[in-house]
Amino acid sequence: MLEMQSTSIAPWHVCYYPIPNRFQFHHLHLSKKYTNSTISSCYQSLTILTHSPNTSSFSHTNSCSEEQEKASSNNNNNKHNASYPRQNDAFMKQLYSSIETSKTQNPKIPNKKGKGEPESAVISTSMWWAKLKAAVGQNINLEGLACAASVVTRDKHLVLPHVFVPDIRHIDWAVLRREGFQGVVFDKDNTITVPYSLALWSPLDSSMERCKSVFGNNIAVFSNSAGLLEYDPDGRKARALEYAIGIRVIRHKLKKPAGAAEEIERHFGCESSKLIMVGDRPFTDIVFGNRNGFLTVLTEPLSLAEEPFIVKQVRKLEVALVKRWSKKGFKPTSHRLLPDTMQCVKDPQIL
């Protein structure tokens, strides 16, 4: 008996025929009622099937008992099982029973990402973290802080604008166009809109229309919120702003003042030295503009009511440093297209 078991059961695992995926043989325990003779007869059937040149001959194999053949013939109408060996119904019941037992004894391993949490909870947490990161990042400009250290120690002149005005109504766009400038780049928040608003600040409507009439479509927004890949990856904010104010928003990868002006130059099709950078932050808009050769225009903030507390404090420090260095005689680098910067400044009441 022991010798028969070793010769009949061992090859059971090496004999190959297609097995449906649902038949999981892990932890399979056969009932004691399946004797060695039954297993041996089934093994002979499989051997005949394996060595047969025609797989269709398998249905004519008479290796199991008549009783087993009758039991399996009841399932012939099932198309899914038509191409597999006929099996004893009791054997299949035992097989399914062992599978169900295996499932209960081996529960599903939880997802690695959520450590057992539902996938929806993981997605919700990721979205919450992305929004928090965007909010913190827009209020605390790490790139600006790193650049500020360099400005304070070595490049104080970079923070000083070529032109300082209360707002864009004081800029004579026609003079700038006549002197050879080809386009204007605006910051968004507190330069042409109040913080977190998509609408152009209404008192600036007439000046913006004059700017459009002079420069045509060569006007764009370059912001650390809308259009920045980190906080606006799908461009939704940029498209919303473009629709609201009718001005193109340049998509870019790095926050001002970091990075070069490649995206801007590609957008306008000219060198940055022929463009005007208008913004309200000395250590972001003005430093970025001066580093890349723009004519820089610093405006006062349109509204401080909506600004976060930390931004207000940083702004106060920036303005104090600009005033201090200006009094000490520091000056911005002269721009070759506009040596006399005061000629583009006007009274907003004079059209």
Side-chain angles (χ1 to χ4, degrees), residues 237-266:
K237 294 179 182 178
R239 290 191 297 271
L241 183 60
E242 289 173 336
Y243 179 81
I245 64 178
I247 301 175
R248 292 291 303 276
V249 177
I250 299 175
R251 278 64 166 175
H252 58 108
K253 297 179 180 179
L254 298 176
K255 294 179 70 173
K256 297 176 290 186
E262 294 176 357
E263 291 103 339
I264 299 176
E265 290 177 333
R266 187 163 52 247

Side-chain angles (χ1 to χ4, degrees), residues 64-84:
C64 296
S65 65
E66 245 179 58
E67 191 178 322
Q68 290 172 327
E69 188 75 11
K70 288 180 182 179
S72 63
S73 65
N74 292 332
N75 295 327
N76 282 343
N77 293 329
N78 189 341
K79 293 181 180 180
H80 184 77
N81 294 328
S83 61
Y84 297 99

Side-chain angles (χ1 to χ4, degrees), residues 72-339:
S72 63
S73 65
N74 292 332
N75 295 327
N76 282 343
N77 293 329
N78 189 341
K79 293 181 180 180
H80 184 77
N81 294 328
S83 61
Y84 297 99
R86 296 178 180 178
Q87 296 157 329
N88 184 279
D89 188 56
F91 174 82
M92 295 304 297
K93 288 182 180 179
Q94 177 69 17
L95 176 63
Y96 281 118
S97 175
S98 66
I99 292 172
E100 292 299 321
T101 304
S102 175
K103 287 182 179 179
T104 57
Q105 293 177 352
N106 298 278
K108 188 176 181 180
I109 299 174
N111 194 318
K112 290 182 180 179
K113 290 184 178 179
K115 296 181 180 179
E117 296 179 3
E119 187 176 354
S120 59
V122 176
I123 295 174
S124 177
T125 303
S126 300
M127 292 177 63
W128 174 85
W129 173 247
K131 290 180 179 179
L132 177 62
K133 181 182 177 183
V136 173
Q138 290 179 26
N139 292 333
I140 303 176
N141 189 341
L142 298 179
E143 290 86 351
L145 292 175
C147 185
S150 173
V151 169
V152 169
T153 56
R154 297 193 306 268
D155 304 313
K156 295 180 177 64
H157 65 283
L158 291 179
V159 81
L160 302 175
H162 294 103
V163 181
F164 176 76
V165 292
D167 57 59
I168 66 172
R169 291 176 292 180
H170 294 259
I171 301 174
D172 192 330
W173 302 113
V175 170
L176 293 172
R177 185 70 182 92
R178 187 175 63 244
E179 295 299 322
F181 291 98
Q182 297 183 14
V184 185
V185 183
F186 291 100
D187 178 48
K188 175 189 174 292
D189 291 328
N190 259 333
T191 300
I192 59 175
T193 73
V194 296
Y196 311 113
S197 172
L198 293 178
L200 183 70
W201 193 50
S202 57
L204 304 180
D205 286 343
S206 58
S207 179
M208 185 61 74
E209 288 303 316
R210 284 196 297 275
C211 183
K212 290 179 179 179
S213 67
V214 171
F215 289 99
N217 292 326
N218 288 335
I219 303 173
V221 172
F222 191 74
S223 169
N224 277 352
S225 55
L228 180 64
L229 181 63
E230 184 177 1
Y231 304 135
D232 188 21
D234 57 358
R236 186 178 304 175
K237 294 179 182 178
R239 290 191 297 271
L241 183 60
E242 289 173 336
Y243 179 81
I245 64 178
I247 301 175
R248 292 291 303 276
V249 177
I250 299 175
R251 278 64 166 175
H252 58 108
K253 297 179 180 179
L254 298 176
K255 294 179 70 173
K256 297 176 290 186
E262 294 176 357
E263 291 103 339
I264 299 176
E265 290 177 333
R266 187 163 52 247
H267 175 85
F268 285 95
C270 67
E271 296 177 355
S272 57
S273 60
K274 295 181 180 180
L275 300 173
I276 306 156
M277 172 67 69
V278 184
D280 66 301
R281 298 292 299 275
F283 275 80
T284 54
D285 307 313
I286 303 306
V287 169
F288 176 84
N290 285 335
R291 285 176 58 197
N292 291 287
F294 292 80
L295 176 75
T296 54
V297 179
L298 179 66
T299 65
E300 295 180 0
L302 299 179
S303 172
L304 298 178
E306 301 297 327
E307 248 184 5
F309 173 79
I310 189 170
V311 176
K312 291 179 181 178
Q313 303 310 308
V314 173
R315 183 188 293 278
K316 288 180 181 179
L317 177 60
E318 291 179 355
V319 172
L321 290 174
V322 169
K323 289 181 178 179
R324 180 180 178 183
W325 294 336
S326 296
K327 289 179 180 179
K328 287 189 174 184
F330 287 95
K331 296 183 181 298
T333 304
S334 178
H335 199 285
R336 63 182 181 85
L337 293 181
L338 194 70

